[in-house]
Amino acid sequence: MNNFEFSNPVKIIFGKGQLVKLTKNIPLDKNILLIYGGGSILKNGVYDSIKEALKNHNVHEFSGIEPNPRYETAMKAVDIIKLQKIDFLLAVGGGSVIDATKFIAAAALYAQGDPWDILSKRSPVKAALPFGAVLTLPATGSEMNSGSVIERNSTNEKLAFGSPHTFPQFSFLLPEAAATLPKHQVANGVVDAFMHTMEQYMTYPANAPLVDRFAESILQTLIEEGPKAYENPANYDAMSNLMWCATMALNGLIGCGVPQDWAVHMMGHELTSQFGIDHARTLAIIAPSHYRYNFENKKQKLAQYGERVWGISNGTMEEKAQNAIEATVNFFHSLDVNTKLSKYTDNYEGTAQNVAKRFNERGWVKMGERQSLTPADVEKIVEMSY
Ligand code: NZQ
Ligand code: ZN
């Protein structure tokens, strides 16, 4: 097992009828900015429950955070924060709203220059406004981590940052509110949580059997419960399990002591910024090619995954590993998630070269769990995904 440090300060409040506890979790003297997206919370009752719970607090509002949240929009919220002297943020919605809130929290207190540097130059975040989250979409894990991904319209770039200052203080997890999700968003959630687990698991053996089994249990639960939630988002039990899986998949626990990859996400973000493809679907496009291309490096874990998660017991290690990749593809297809770029756009020619060029320009020249993946490899993987 590798050395690690693990600290996660996020308080989780899970389940039905929990929003009444909001009032206890935000001091009465706070001047709050309630941040949300395109209005799903107005339709599923979450907005009303929050307003009721916070009726004795001073609450301002900022709406219109887009899926794949934009820097330009986030900066408008920063202006309001300065004008209204806001000192607490409440993010309500999916990963995009929570990610935007993390960036807004950091940008509002950023004194070293242009807040875009936090993303483009990884300029360190030295402080951030305190914030909490109310989650209505299981997928990203943003509710229990300190990471955030923001896109800039003017440059078409989608970049990530993270800081110990951008953990939510608390997160309410509301499987009941997720009942109103369109089915394709539930599929996105299953695939994103699955791929978060895979990015931390599908590497090479590191003598970390406990962490391996944490990861395998998340994958198995997603395979069992994900299709039920996809079939009927109002299935509270299935949605509850999906939501907790998604949170556990990216709160740091299953990354302890093991090598991590994340190249699938790096390539996937480029497909979102170039074509607007949903985040999870970009991962489903890239992952199979990534595992085929890096087969020699990953085949031991692929075979272990095949055996333990998919019950593949026949064949050589290589055959089990190949069949495990096929089982993964079939699982994504069973959720109506396509795994080829050409199914999403006719304009895919040249994409691989563009992605490789951008990685070179940013100096992203050593990726993957062995730091051995180069932009030239990335070009081949993206091309295999057409
Ligand atoms: O904007 P509203 O009206 O709320 O509608 C949203 C949005 O249109 C809707 N929605 C959310 N909850 C709903 C609902 N509709 C009906 N009923 C509900 N209960 O769903 C749409 C998509 O929401 P979004 O927040 O964009 O989805 P998701 O949670 O999948 O977040 C995706 C973003 O997270 C980033 C992605 O890159 C992407 O920008 N990621 C963040 C990570 C992190 N912070 O750790 C890790 C991930 O790998 C990922 O990169
Ligand atoms: Zn993701």
Side-chain angles (χ1 to χ4, degrees):
M1 214 176 350
N2 299 339
N3 289 352
F4 67 89
E5 286 187 16
F6 177 59
S7 163
N8 191 312
V10 184
K11 173 179 178 181
I12 295 292
I13 304 157
F14 183 102
K16 292 182 186 176
Q18 294 279 47
L19 282 176
V20 289
K21 295 182 186 161
L22 253 181
T23 181
K24 281 193 295 187
N25 284 280
I26 309 177
L28 257 182
D29 61 354
K30 288 290 179 196
N31 196 19
I32 302 169
L33 187 64
L34 166 62
I35 300 176
Y36 62 98
S40 69
I41 65 162
L42 303 174
K43 295 184 199 131
N44 58 16
V46 170
Y47 176 87
D48 290 338
S49 303
I50 288 173
K51 291 294 274 196
E52 174 61 25
L54 295 179
K55 63 181 180 227
N56 295 322
H57 284 76
N58 197 18
V59 183
H60 301 260
E61 291 182 22
F62 184 86
S63 65
I65 300 291
E66 330 55 9
N68 307 313
R70 303 308 143 105
Y71 165 80
E72 288 85 352
T73 309
M75 289 310 292
K76 288 183 190 154
V78 172
D79 291 340
I80 293 177
I81 286 168
K82 290 184 177 158
L83 198 69
Q84 302 289 350
K85 303 201 171 10
I86 300 289
D87 55 7
F88 194 92
L89 310 180
L90 184 62
V92 186
S96 291
V97 173
I98 302 174
D99 280 10
T101 301
K102 290 174 181 174
F103 180 71
I104 293 164
L109 300 189
Y110 188 74
Q112 299 109 281
D114 180 356
W116 179 246
D117 292 349
I118 296 170
L119 293 149
S120 64
K121 298 186 183 157
R122 297 274 172 126
S123 173
V125 171
K126 296 186 179 152
L129 286 174
F131 66 97
V134 176
L135 180 75
T136 64
L137 192 178
T140 64
S142 188
E143 64 276 8
M144 201 176 175
N145 68 42
S146 60
S148 159
V149 193
I150 302 289
E151 196 166 330
R152 186 167 190 165
N153 281 331
S154 60
T155 57
N156 245 356
E157 282 182 291
K158 189 169 166 91
L159 299 172
F161 84 100
S163 151
H165 300 288
T166 50
F167 280 104
Q169 286 195 344
F170 58 77
S171 283
F172 286 78
L173 272 51
L174 307 184
E176 209 173 14
T180 54
L181 279 170
K183 281 180 70 173
H184 76 275
Q185 289 292 357
V186 181
N188 286 350
V190 177
V191 172
D192 197 19
F194 202 91
M195 285 309 306
H196 292 160
T197 311
M198 292 290 266
E199 296 269 36
Q200 298 163 89
Y201 169 83
M202 195 47 69
T203 57
Y204 55 84
N207 186 28
L210 176 63
V211 171
D212 273 2
R213 287 191 170 93
F214 284 158
E216 287 154 0
S217 67
I218 294 173
L219 297 171
Q220 283 174 313
T221 309
L222 287 169
I223 290 164
E224 277 172 23
E225 301 292 316
K228 295 182 205 165
Y230 176 61
E231 217 35 66
N232 176 16
N235 178 339
Y236 181 80
D237 290 331
M239 189 60 83
S240 297
N241 285 308
L242 168 56
M243 198 170 261
W244 192 224
C245 280
T247 303
M248 292 303 291
L250 197 48
N251 65 4
L253 182 69
I254 65 165
C256 291
V258 293
Q260 303 189 24
D261 185 345
W262 295 105
V264 176
H265 270 70
M266 295 167 84
M267 290 180 256
H269 288 159
E270 297 303 314
L271 302 185
T272 298
S273 63
Q274 287 189 34
F275 301 109
I277 301 170
D278 289 351
H279 168 66
R281 285 164 205 263
T282 68
L283 309 177
I285 294 167
I286 298 289
S289 305
H290 184 63
Y291 298 144
R292 287 183 189 120
Y293 184 84
N294 293 292
F295 191 77
E296 282 306 312
N297 276 338
K298 291 180 183 287
K299 66 184 180 189
Q300 274 178 281
K301 283 303 277 286
L302 278 165
Q304 177 182 320
Y305 159 71
E307 278 174 17
R308 293 189 187 175
V309 175
W310 291 107
I312 298 168
S313 52
N314 293 330
T316 61
M317 178 172 66
E318 282 77 8
E319 284 162 349
K320 287 177 188 164
Q322 292 288 4
N323 289 336
I325 299 174
E326 295 318 310
T328 311
V329 170
N330 291 338
F331 179 55
F332 294 163
H333 288 173
S334 77
L335 300 166
D336 302 315
V337 173
N338 281 315
T339 50
K340 286 288 175 189
L341 183 60
S342 53
K343 295 272 186 192
Y344 296 86
T345 173
D346 295 332
N347 250 342
Y348 53 84
E349 290 299 345
T351 305
Q353 290 77 5
N354 284 344
V355 174
K357 184 166 166 274
R358 283 192 155 199
F359 280 25
N360 265 320
E361 283 165 2
R362 293 185 196 131
W364 295 0
V365 291
K366 288 182 185 169
M367 288 158 281
E369 64 272 17
R370 297 175 202 265
Q371 295 287 287
S372 61
L373 208 69
T374 66
D377 298 312
V378 162
E379 186 172 328
K380 291 188 187 122
I381 293 164
V382 176
E383 206 157 48
M384 283 166 70
S385 310
Y386 287 177

